[in-house]
Amino acid sequence: MLLSMTGHGEAHSRVEGRAIAVDVRTVNNKYFKFSMRAGDRYLALEPLIESAVRQQVRRGTVQVELRIARESTQDDYRLNETVLASYRSQLESIERHLRLTEPIRLESLLALPGVVEELSATRASEDSLWPEVEPVLRQALDNLDRMRREEGRAMAADLRSNRELVAQALGRIEERAPLVVAAYRTKMLERVNSWVQGLDTAGGPTLTPADVVREVGVFTDRSDISEEIVRLRSHLSQFDSLLHQAEPTGRKLDFLIQEMFREVNTIGSKANDVAVAREVIEIKTLVERMREMIQNVE
């Protein structure tokens, strides 16, 4: 089953006074690229989160946003009396030196660095947070996976439809190929007959049937596309098989698409026929459409 590289999953939970939210977004990328947004105190969780993401996402750009909000209590904050006293002592010294008359307001000191200590910032460690964060992350990844699978099913259906259209156009080329040689033979004979009729029978150059056969043979060999048709049919068969595999097949599908382009271009350059050229253009359009879609397949 195909997996899209584009998706979104989120999950929320409330555990022991902490509200945990995880948001995961993925977009297509040739390789795996991970980034995380979280508060500074939670950056220690990044290796664990990346490891969990890698278990479900093989390729693409992954952006994880982690938000943890804790309900504050009266025990979460503490005044550092030593720092507060130091600030006040220094300010009183400056006040006496400058002979200021306005008294120092205590609330103005609370905003100074180090006066109020947030104890909750040091309580939550990696070991204590990960058991709470992991299930929320797993749920977000499951929601992401569900969205990627749904989009993958739609992409697979479209790819199968385009593959079938390519096979039909290739079938028409295969039917047309023998007629191209026959048409060239007929055209050669018409030209030869017209040329012979205009010659002076007394002293002009001669042209034997063997010359015509040799010319037609050269054209047949030069315009033979049977090998390219066989290879392109093989690629289409492998393509259909890859669409049903369980593991990620984006890279293999991309390689097959490149091979299809190569065979189609060769057919177009070798087959000297308007009808075949028209089918080649149709196939190249379909294959290009498939290529663009495969860029988003994991």
Side-chain angles (χ1 to χ4, degrees):
M1 178 180 292
L2 295 188
L3 281 176
S4 170
M5 281 194 285
T6 302
H8 171 248
E10 60 179 342
H12 308 268
S13 178
R14 182 176 293 275
V15 182
E16 297 182 357
R18 271 193 287 265
I20 302 174
V22 177
D23 187 278
V24 185
R25 299 176 184 271
T26 58
V27 294
N28 60 324
N29 194 314
K30 191 174 182 180
Y31 306 101
F32 180 89
K33 182 179 179 181
F34 176 85
S35 63
M36 187 179 102
R37 292 178 56 189
D40 292 341
R41 72 186 71 171
Y42 307 123
L43 291 180
L45 295 173
E46 184 170 347
L48 296 171
I49 292 176
E50 181 176 355
S51 177
V53 170
R54 283 182 178 272
Q55 294 175 17
Q56 291 190 229
V57 181
R58 308 285 184 85
R59 196 158 66 107
T61 297
V62 185
Q63 298 174 332
V64 176
E65 182 177 1
L66 172 65
R67 300 185 300 275
I68 301 179
R70 187 178 184 280
E71 296 177 356
S72 300
T73 65
Q74 62 182 4
D75 297 325
D76 289 339
Y77 301 94
R78 181 183 64 185
L79 288 176
N80 190 319
E81 297 181 7
T82 302
V83 174
L84 180 61
S86 175
Y87 278 133
R88 183 164 186 172
S89 174
Q90 295 177 61
L91 289 172
E92 287 176 345
S93 176
I94 294 172
E95 183 181 42
R96 288 192 299 270
H97 179 71
L98 297 178
R99 296 180 180 181
L100 300 177
T101 57
E102 186 176 347
I104 299 172
R105 300 175 62 85
L106 185 61
E107 61 269 21
S108 64
L109 302 179
L110 298 179
L112 295 174
V115 174
V116 180
E117 296 179 344
E118 187 178 354
L119 301 182
S120 61
T122 58
R123 286 180 181 175
S125 64
E126 175 186 326
D127 294 335
S128 64
L129 280 177
W130 178 240
E132 299 175 7
V133 172
E134 183 180 14
V136 186
L137 173 63
R138 298 289 183 187
Q139 185 180 350
L141 289 173
D142 289 342
N143 294 335
L144 168 72
D145 191 64
R146 189 178 302 110
M147 181 177 180
R148 295 169 69 216
R149 288 181 181 277
E150 290 176 359
E151 187 171 338
R153 280 192 288 269
M155 293 167 63
D158 191 79
L159 287 170
R160 291 191 188 97
S161 176
N162 285 294
R163 178 214 166 276
E164 182 60 29
L165 292 175
V166 171
Q168 293 174 10
L170 184 60
R172 292 191 291 269
I173 290 177
E174 191 172 19
E175 292 176 0
R176 177 66 184 171
L179 303 179
V180 174
V181 176
Y184 182 78
R185 183 186 300 112
T186 301
K187 186 182 296 184
M188 278 292 298
L189 291 173
E190 291 176 353
R191 289 180 177 176
V192 169
N193 290 332
S194 175
W195 181 68
V196 169
Q197 290 175 5
L199 287 177
D200 183 3
T201 57
T206 60
L207 186 68
T208 65
D211 295 326
V212 177
V213 172
R214 184 168 55 252
E215 176 64 25
V216 173
V218 171
F219 174 81
T220 302
D221 184 65
R222 188 172 62 245
S223 61
D224 182 26
I225 57 175
S226 57
E227 186 177 345
E228 287 76 13
I229 291 175
V230 170
R231 282 201 295 262
L232 185 49
R233 283 200 182 281
S234 174
H235 296 333
L236 291 173
S237 177
Q238 294 177 62
F239 190 90
D240 188 60
S241 176
L242 288 173
L243 291 179
H244 293 86
Q245 291 188 10
E247 69 271 10
T249 56
R251 294 183 185 275
K252 295 179 180 179
L253 290 171
D254 187 55
F255 172 77
L256 276 179
I257 285 294
Q258 295 178 37
E259 293 301 305
M260 288 182 191
F261 265 122
R262 183 175 292 110
E263 302 302 338
V264 173
N265 284 331
T266 304
I267 291 173
S269 63
K270 292 176 69 174
N272 187 17
D273 183 74
V274 175
V276 172
R278 189 180 301 114
E279 298 296 343
V280 165
I281 292 173
E282 177 66 17
I283 291 177
K284 291 177 72 172
T285 302
L286 292 167
V287 173
E288 175 62 23
R289 188 183 305 163
M290 295 162 69
R291 187 195 68 81
E292 291 179 356
M293 186 167 297
I294 286 172
Q295 300 307 306
N296 200 39
V297 174
E298 182 178 278

